[in-house]
Every structure is written in C-alpha cells, then in structure tokens.
Amino acid sequence: MTGAAQLSTGDREWGGRLPLASHGPLTEDQLAAQQRLRAEVVPWARTAGVAVATAEGDFIGPFNAFVHRPAAGMPYLAWVLADQAQSSLAASLREIIILTVGTAWNSEYEIYVHTAMARHAGVTEPVIGAVLTGHSSTDFSSTEAAVHRFTDELARTHSVRDDTYRLAIDAVGQTGVLDMVNLIGAYLATSALLNAFRVPAPPQAEPG
C-alpha cells in the first residue's frame, strides 16, 4: 500500500482484544466481506496512505470486526459509504468532524486514519493540531470552528448549547447539521468498537 506503514501480523496483536479473523476458518459470508473490503475500502485507504490491512492481507482497525461479524459490519459499512457519497458537507469538514470525535474518545486507530485523511482533504496542519488537542484556534475558518465546536460538545457532553447550534446552522444550514449528526453518530459507533477491543494503530506518518 503506497505511503502506508508496512505491517506484519508478527509485529503486534493488530486486532487488540479481537483476534484477526483470518486466524480461524472463514465462512462464505466472511470471505464475501473480505472481498468487499478489498474492493471498497483498500482503494479509499490508499488515497491517503493509511493501512487497513497487514502485508499478509489481514484486515485491521474496525474492518477486522466487520469480517468477524459481517451481518452487522457490512450494513454499517454501507451506511458510512452512503453518507460519504450523499453528504452536503465538504470532505475537509467531514474529516474535521471525524477527527474531533476520535479525539474526544481517544480512539487511537480512528485518529491515525483520519489525521491522514484530513491532510489528504486539504485540512491545514494548524487546524489538525488544534483538533487533536481539543482546542479552538484562530487558524479555523468560521465554518471549521462552528462544526468543530458542535461536534466536540456533542461528543464530550452529549448535548449542544443553543448558541453552538445556531452557529452550526449559520455555517452549514439545517441539511448540513443533519449530515453532521449522522456522521458524528457513525464515528461514535466506530470509536466505541475500536476502544472496546483496544484496537491499536500503526505509527502516524509525518506530514509532507
């Protein structure tokens, strides 16, 4: 995978608490899940040089869980892909939102993937740094500041203040806020999955 860390199953327990699915016999549904991940997720990951599988072909991150339990994992993947395709939000804003959720939950693999994806989407290093530290910054545009504030409040306090809500409406409109909440929900679920199984992440690539 160009630009991604070259991982091996011998390096560490990439599944965390969850063994890599390929260590056991796979059902037809699990093999079909692997095929779909190779077709739809691997090319997406290559665009930003992040690792979603080892050199031996074992899926890591949340994708290992999807192979273990395709009846739940594949519909979830379809939700994420449909949201990505239909969202009214710019890719850079989506990555700020996802990275904000991952940071709030201290979700190692989510932070790893979406730091790289944020760079690929054109988010500046000062903005990425501010998101990763959980702070606002003068480096945010007004729209970036509004979506970050909304996401951070919802992820950390489970609610959104009226003034924060109004700023988000002014920044991205009602449709944008609906899309934000859908995206936040998807990546709260991802963070929960990753944290429950203590899924590790490869080393973060240097910007540039």
Side-chain angles (χ1 to χ4, degrees):
M1 188 175 302
T2 304
Q6 293 301 303
L7 311 180
S8 172
T9 52
D11 292 340
R12 64 187 299 185
E13 294 295 331
W14 290 111
R17 288 170 163 165
L18 189 65
L20 294 178
S22 59
H23 286 181
L26 299 180
T27 67
E28 287 187 12
D29 286 347
Q30 288 172 322
L31 290 168
Q34 280 190 331
Q35 275 193 321
R36 184 172 177 194
L37 290 169
R38 289 189 186 105
E40 298 185 21
V41 173
V42 170
W44 165 82
R46 281 185 176 140
T47 64
V50 297
V52 295
T54 67
E56 295 83 2
D58 300 286
F59 281 98
I60 63 171
F63 310 108
N64 180 47
F66 296 173
V67 177
H68 270 284
R69 192 77 174 103
M74 291 299 99
Y76 173 79
L77 178 64
W79 174 28
V80 171
L81 293 175
D83 175 74
Q84 186 179 42
Q86 300 297 325
S87 180
S88 65
L89 301 168
S92 58
L93 293 179
R94 286 173 53 82
E95 293 304 328
I96 288 170
I97 291 163
I98 297 167
L99 198 54
T100 301
V101 172
T103 300
W105 273 64
N106 194 29
S107 185
E108 185 180 342
Y109 187 83
E110 190 166 319
I111 292 168
Y112 158 73
V113 169
H114 290 282
T115 296
M117 288 294 175
R119 287 175 180 142
H120 180 70
V123 182
T124 66
E125 289 301 320
V127 168
I128 291 171
V131 172
L132 292 174
T133 57
H135 297 133
S136 60
S137 170
T138 56
D139 293 298
F140 286 113
S141 70
S142 59
T143 300
E144 290 171 339
V147 301
H148 176 257
R149 176 173 163 178
F150 183 102
T151 304
D152 192 63
E153 277 188 27
L154 189 56
R156 292 182 190 274
T157 73
H158 314 148
S159 185
V160 176
R161 298 194 305 265
D162 286 343
D163 58 337
T164 300
Y165 179 80
R166 285 193 297 270
L167 283 172
I169 288 288
D170 289 344
V172 297
Q174 180 174 280
T175 297
V177 171
L178 285 166
D179 288 347
M180 283 176 61
V181 173
N182 193 49
L183 183 62
I184 291 165
Y187 281 89
L188 286 172
T190 302
S191 294
L193 173 65
L194 293 167
N195 286 7
F197 292 106
R198 294 183 181 169
V199 176
Q204 189 66 250
E206 292 298 318

